[in-house]
Amino acid sequence: MQKLNRDFFLYLSKNKLLNKNAKRWGLKLGASKVVAGLTLEDAHARLQELNDSNRSITLDHLGEFVFEESEAIEAFESSMAALDFLHEHRIDCYLSVKLTKLGLDVDEDLCKSHIKQLLEKAKEHGSIVNIDMEDYLHYEQTIRIIEELRASFDNIGTVLQAYIKTGVEDTDRLRGMKLRFVKGAYKESADVALQEKQAIDKQMLDMIKTHLNNGGHTAIATHDHHIIEHVKAYAKEQSIPREQFEFQMLYGFRNDLQLSLVEEGYQVRTYVPYGKDWYGYFMRRLAERPQNLAFAMRGLLSK
């Protein structure tokens, strides 16, 4: 039943009509629990609260289904403005972006122009830009672009998904980069992705250890306390300094665990999404944890 629920919400996450309609709903269906606001100004107070609790932030301006040049340009301009906003307000935060939102499905050269300008501005502000990994359709193309960019920029990071079968190889391929490791939130074929939780968890730990052993800065993005405890024990056993890794969790999830890790002296970064295109992101969160449907029900009942 859990797998059916996951597949159902992943199917809904790709529904373009529902995504379009969701923009008219505002942050209904409980999305305000996991999305910080429709605008950066709306989210500002929440960002400051996170910093005040000694948590860093990675900020994601949400967006799905960008197939028009005008939409890609609008997304790029919003991201540039976000970099200035974060710098102006001295928020301890870097930007996460999706290449499809910057125009990858419109024109690759346009997308690369956008991401290069973002990296240049982030460097001026002493910050980095993290490129989120998307579905497998864009996987190899994304890695190829990242390899091209890292030849000119050292303030770039990316994400690797533990359910992709080539995960350990790709970790080695991107050694030296800032890498965030996640389990993976898209529905992928068994030809390219592991399907069982136990296998995904094992590969995630293998990827994390590989990157730590390679000396790379490592972000462990999970709410799974088993993986968190395993990483803590491994880092202690191998005398890996805490400055080399951080734990990342989603805004609106496991706030108690985030704060307890801060109290233990670990670096914690909260992934904070904002924007009117919240629908696809929210559906994937429901797919990961169907219990979160309670958020949606409360949202509906409060309308």
Side-chain angles (χ1 to χ4, degrees):
M1 179 61 71
Q2 185 172 350
K3 184 179 185 302
L4 287 175
N5 285 338
R6 181 176 187 274
D7 290 348
F8 174 67
F9 286 118
L10 287 176
Y11 169 78
L12 290 181
S13 74
K14 296 183 177 181
N15 188 296
K16 297 179 183 179
L17 178 61
L18 288 176
N19 181 68
K20 182 178 179 180
N21 288 335
K23 295 176 185 178
R24 298 200 297 264
W25 300 338
L27 290 176
K28 300 295 185 182
L29 306 180
S32 61
K33 301 287 185 180
V34 297
V35 177
L38 294 178
T39 68
L40 197 48
E41 289 74 14
D42 293 339
H44 184 199
R46 294 175 176 86
L47 299 180
Q48 191 61 59
E49 288 169 5
L50 289 166
N51 276 181
D52 289 345
S53 65
N54 294 316
R55 282 174 283 183
S56 301
I57 301 162
T58 179
L59 185 71
D60 179 16
H61 184 216
L62 296 171
E64 305 278 340
F65 311 120
V66 173
F67 297 107
E68 299 293 335
E69 182 175 342
S70 60
E71 293 177 313
I73 292 172
E74 180 184 358
F76 161 69
E77 291 174 346
S78 295
S79 296
M80 291 287 276
L83 286 172
D84 286 335
F85 183 95
L86 296 171
H87 180 69
E88 177 186 348
H89 293 276
R90 299 184 179 182
I91 304 294
D92 179 7
C93 176
Y94 64 68
L95 199 64
S96 285
V97 298
K98 292 179 174 61
L99 293 185
T100 58
K101 186 173 176 63
L102 296 176
L104 188 60
D105 289 329
V106 179
D107 178 81
E108 183 175 311
D109 288 337
L110 175 70
C111 175
K112 287 195 288 189
S113 173
H114 286 163
I115 188 63
K116 286 176 181 177
Q117 291 178 72
L118 287 171
L119 285 163
E120 287 166 358
K121 180 174 282 290
K123 192 166 188 175
E124 290 173 10
H125 293 332
S127 186
I128 74 167
V129 175
N130 201 77
I131 296 177
D132 282 348
M133 194 61 71
E134 302 180 67
D135 59 8
Y136 194 76
L137 179 65
H138 299 95
Y139 188 81
E140 185 60 34
Q141 186 181 17
T142 299
I143 291 183
R144 176 174 52 77
I145 292 172
I146 288 168
E147 289 182 317
E148 179 183 330
L149 291 168
R150 69 185 296 208
S152 302
F153 297 96
D154 60 4
N155 62 327
I156 182 174
T158 193
V159 181
L160 288 178
Q161 302 153 317
Y163 64 1
I164 299 299
K165 290 183 176 180
T166 58
V168 176
E169 299 167 32
D170 295 329
T171 301
D172 260 330
R173 182 177 173 184
L174 298 177
R175 68 166 60 205
M177 286 191 65
K178 298 176 177 67
L179 295 181
R180 175 198 298 156
F181 295 96
V182 301
K183 293 188 180 183
Y186 295 86
K187 181 174 174 56
E188 304 291 2
S189 162
D191 293 337
V192 301
L194 302 169
Q195 303 293 311
E196 301 300 324
K197 181 183 184 301
Q198 185 175 359
I200 295 170
D201 288 355
K202 180 183 182 303
Q203 174 143 291
M204 185 171 186
L205 286 169
D206 288 343
M207 293 164 70
I208 290 166
K209 291 176 182 178
T210 296
H211 200 53
L212 287 171
N213 293 341
N214 286 341
H217 188 271
T218 305
I220 301 97
T222 184
H223 305 122
D224 188 330
H225 66 278
H226 295 296
I227 288 179
I228 290 170
E229 290 303 318
H230 194 112
V231 171
K232 287 161 65 174
Y234 185 78
K236 184 176 181 180
E237 173 190 317
Q238 299 298 317
S239 300
I240 295 169
R242 292 187 178 185
E243 294 76 21
Q244 191 186 328
F245 65 96
E246 64 185 30
F247 294 106
Q248 294 189 3
M249 298 184 200
L250 300 172
Y251 172 75
F253 293 88
R254 298 306 307 270
N255 193 58
D256 55 340
L257 180 55
Q258 293 184 42
L259 292 174
S260 69
L261 286 168
V262 169
E263 290 175 4
E264 291 176 46
Y266 291 99
Q267 296 183 88
V268 176
R269 187 177 300 274
T270 304
Y271 186 98
V272 179
Y274 77 100
K276 63 182 180 180
D277 290 331
W278 54 268
Y279 171 80
Y281 173 85
F282 184 52
M283 288 299 109
R284 286 193 293 276
R285 300 294 78 77
L286 292 178
E288 289 172 343
R289 290 175 59 82
Q291 307 92 295
N292 296 335
L293 188 57
F295 287 164
M297 293 308 298
R298 284 197 294 270
L300 281 171
L301 292 173
S302 67
K303 287 178 67 176

